[in-house]
Amino acid sequence: MSRQITLAVALALIGVAAQAEVAPQEVAYGEYGAIETSLTGSPGDPKAGAEVMADRGLGNCVACHAVGALKEVPFHGEIGPPLDGAADRWTEADLRGIVANAKMTFPETIMPAFYKTEGFIRPGDGFTGKAGTEPLDPLLTAQQIEDVVAYLMTLREE
Amino acid sequence: GSAALATAATAQEANLVINDEIEIVTRAPAPEHMEYMSEVVSGWEYRSPETQALQMDDFENPGMIGVDNARADFETAMGPDDQSCASCHESPEALEGVRAVYPKWDEAKGEVQTLEMQVNECVTERAGAEPWDYTGDRMTEMVALISSVSRGMPVNVAIDGPAQETWEQGKEIYYTRYGQLELACANCHEDNYDNMIRADHLSQGQINGFPTYRLKNGALNAVHDRFKGCVRDTRAETFAPGSPEFVALELYVASRGNGLSVEGPSVRN
């Protein structure tokens, strides 16, 4: 019991030291949907980001977007625009906003919000078809969002 | 250029002919209530040539095994008076045309009924037997049989009169963005049909081919089970098969296929 408390306190302290993560409900979106500051306070890992983009259970971004640099991943979708050159079109802050909640940048877009936890109609418990209780876990963690943003920033054509 | 080609493609002869005999309309002008679309297309058009071929011959169509089971079941006695479907309906062929107009307003009950509800009405109220499971094999096979005798007839469900309120409710469900992914039926099947979503070629989500024999699960699939799967995939809480919401949705989706042929049991992946 006391060991668990000590551990919890220690973890909390590490958390504070590394700068508290920005919770989904607390994200500040700019007028056009951008998020200026990192959600974790530390830089993302583009390699981990590429994995999140391809993984069906995580971002599954390639379900909708083709990404030339991920051509070893099978079956890229055609629902959204190809992401090649995304970093030429958008700033890091723009991309963070698009991944966290694309509806702030493109109202009504079909693209799901990956860092949103409440305000859904008939939210489910994952893919079980059963009811879920809000706030849900976001589709991606703050770290995974930063990793994806770091990967998107490598997609340059110019 | 391509517009002229598209028109030519629309006007061509039926591509899907079953048993060299039953011509299936797989592309039709969109019904009037869908003024924003020009054409409605059967899910058959989006499947691979191999899958398409399975539906062209009843000996190749695995869904026809279910139809044969139901043909035998049509004669099976049920309830206290040992009645079978055949006691009251001479043969499955006597139910020709029925599939094409369901879901349909039932005057006596004062509600829109799906084919499954109608069959269960006969099973429970007329034969006095226990109701069949709404999406169980026995029911789905019977619905496949009733569909099979209407193949080639145009879907023609009524959406006005007393059915209109239910139809409006179904329409609202079709455009509601459910679940954590916030996706409506329309996002995939209206805005993005013919596009790939990962490995899946999106169709218009038509139900003229139900029940569908899916190669994926090797079974006949009921309409409400497919609805359930699609809602679940948006990370939403689904509605139950047979629920008023899915009945309304079925009427609405069926009406989006008015003009296509009844195709069930069809073959899909």
Side-chain angles (χ1 to χ4, degrees), chain B:
Chain B
S2 66
L5 277 176
T7 319
T10 316
Q12 83 197 9
E13 306 274 291
N15 291 324
L16 174 53
V17 181
I18 299 172
N19 304 333
D20 290 325
E21 184 186 325
I22 311 169
E23 292 202 8
I24 300 287
V25 173
T26 55
R27 291 175 179 270
E32 232 166 82
H33 68 84
M34 293 169 73
E35 68 290 329
Y36 45 85
M37 270 169 85
S38 61
E39 195 183 40
V40 290
V41 185
S42 159
W44 181 83
E45 292 275 351
Y46 302 94
R47 306 288 52 103
S48 70
E50 296 75 24
T51 305
Q52 288 183 335
L54 290 174
Q55 209 186 307
M56 294 172 147
D57 180 344
D58 281 352
F59 289 109
E60 302 282 326
N61 181 340
M64 291 310 284
I65 295 167
V67 168
D68 289 342
N69 293 341
R71 238 176 226 286
D73 206 16
F74 205 83
E75 321 262 339
T76 306
M78 314 172 263
D81 301 324
D82 282 339
Q83 306 232 48
S84 72
C85 314
S87 318
C88 304
H89 307 280
E90 196 182 10
S91 66
E93 282 67 24
L95 296 170
E96 184 184 322
V98 171
R99 167 75 281 182
V101 296
Y102 271 74
K104 183 178 140 187
W105 178 258
D106 183 296
E107 202 52 58
K109 296 243 180 259
E111 65 180 6
V112 168
Q113 283 197 326
T114 62
L115 204 44
E116 285 87 342
M117 289 160 81
Q118 171 65 62
V119 169
N120 255 343
E121 183 184 318
C122 287
V123 168
T124 59
E125 295 174 24
R126 301 204 170 105
E130 288 297 309
W132 296 356
D133 184 5
Y134 194 92
T135 54
D137 289 344
R138 193 176 190 187
M139 178 66 83
T140 306
E141 291 178 348
M142 186 58 72
V143 171
L145 170 62
I146 297 171
S147 299
S148 70
V149 299
S150 292
R151 283 182 297 176
M153 299 177 79
V155 175
N156 183 22
V157 298
I159 66 174
D160 52 1
Q164 187 175 344
E165 199 183 313
T166 307
W167 182 81
E168 301 278 3
Q169 189 201 348
K171 181 174 182 181
E172 183 171 328
I173 292 173
Y174 193 86
Y175 287 99
T176 300
R177 303 187 63 164
Y178 291 111
Q180 192 173 13
L181 301 186
E182 299 175 274
L183 292 171
C185 314
N187 289 127
C188 290
H189 295 299
E190 180 170 302
D191 302 338
N192 280 293
Y193 67 87
D194 209 14
N195 282 332
M196 297 299 291
I197 182 163
R198 198 106 202 208
D200 288 315
H201 193 189
L202 278 170
S203 73
Q204 291 186 347
Q206 296 284 359
I207 56 174
N208 60 307
F210 275 80
T212 55
Y213 183 91
R214 292 190 65 190
L215 302 170
K216 187 174 167 182
N217 62 1
L220 278 171
N221 289 252
V223 176
H224 289 197
D225 267 342
R226 175 49 109 159
F227 288 174
K228 196 173 144 189
C230 280
V231 176
R232 184 199 54 217
D233 286 351
T234 68
R235 299 177 80 109
E237 178 190 2
T238 62
F239 299 99
S243 63
E245 290 86 356
F246 272 174
V247 171
L249 183 63
E250 180 177 341
L251 174 63
Y252 177 68
V253 177
S255 79
R256 294 175 67 96
N258 273 351
L260 294 172
S261 298
V262 173
E263 236 186 73
S266 66
V267 185
R268 301 288 188 258
N269 56 348

Side-chain angles (χ1 to χ4, degrees), chain A:
Chain A
M1 178 79 180
S2 74
R3 266 240 298 278
Q4 272 173 359
I5 291 176
T6 323
L7 187 63
V9 170
L11 284 173
L13 285 174
I14 294 169
V16 169
Q19 189 211 342
E21 220 172 74
V22 183
Q25 298 89 330
E26 276 142 29
V27 177
Y29 291 90
E31 193 184 343
Y32 301 105
I35 305 171
E36 293 301 332
T37 47
S38 163
L39 299 174
T40 60
S42 50
D45 168 7
K47 206 166 149 270
E51 279 159 27
V52 172
M53 303 256 314
D55 190 322
R56 276 167 209 277
L58 294 173
N60 200 15
C61 314
V62 298
C64 292
H65 296 281
V67 184
L70 291 176
K71 60 177 180 300
E72 75 283 1
V73 175
F75 305 122
H76 295 207
E78 307 169 321
I79 311 284
L83 296 181
D84 301 344
D88 302 324
R89 293 187 290 278
W90 306 97
T91 66
E92 186 186 302
D94 292 336
L95 290 170
R96 186 177 292 113
I98 291 172
V99 180
N101 185 351
K103 287 166 183 77
M104 299 296 193
T105 304
F106 314 109
E108 306 291 305
T109 184
I110 181 177
M111 179 164 157
F114 288 89
Y115 204 56
K116 176 177 166 179
T117 54
E118 49 196 9
F120 302 110
I121 302 170
R122 294 180 76 84
D125 178 7
F127 288 114
T128 62
K130 306 231 160 58
T133 313
E134 294 187 342
L136 305 173
D137 289 336
L139 296 171
L140 297 178
T141 64
Q143 187 59 54
Q144 287 166 334
I145 302 268
E146 291 304 327
D147 293 345
V148 167
V149 170
Y151 178 72
L152 293 174
M153 287 305 290
T154 69
L155 299 179
R156 291 193 183 279
E157 289 180 320
E158 282 157 22

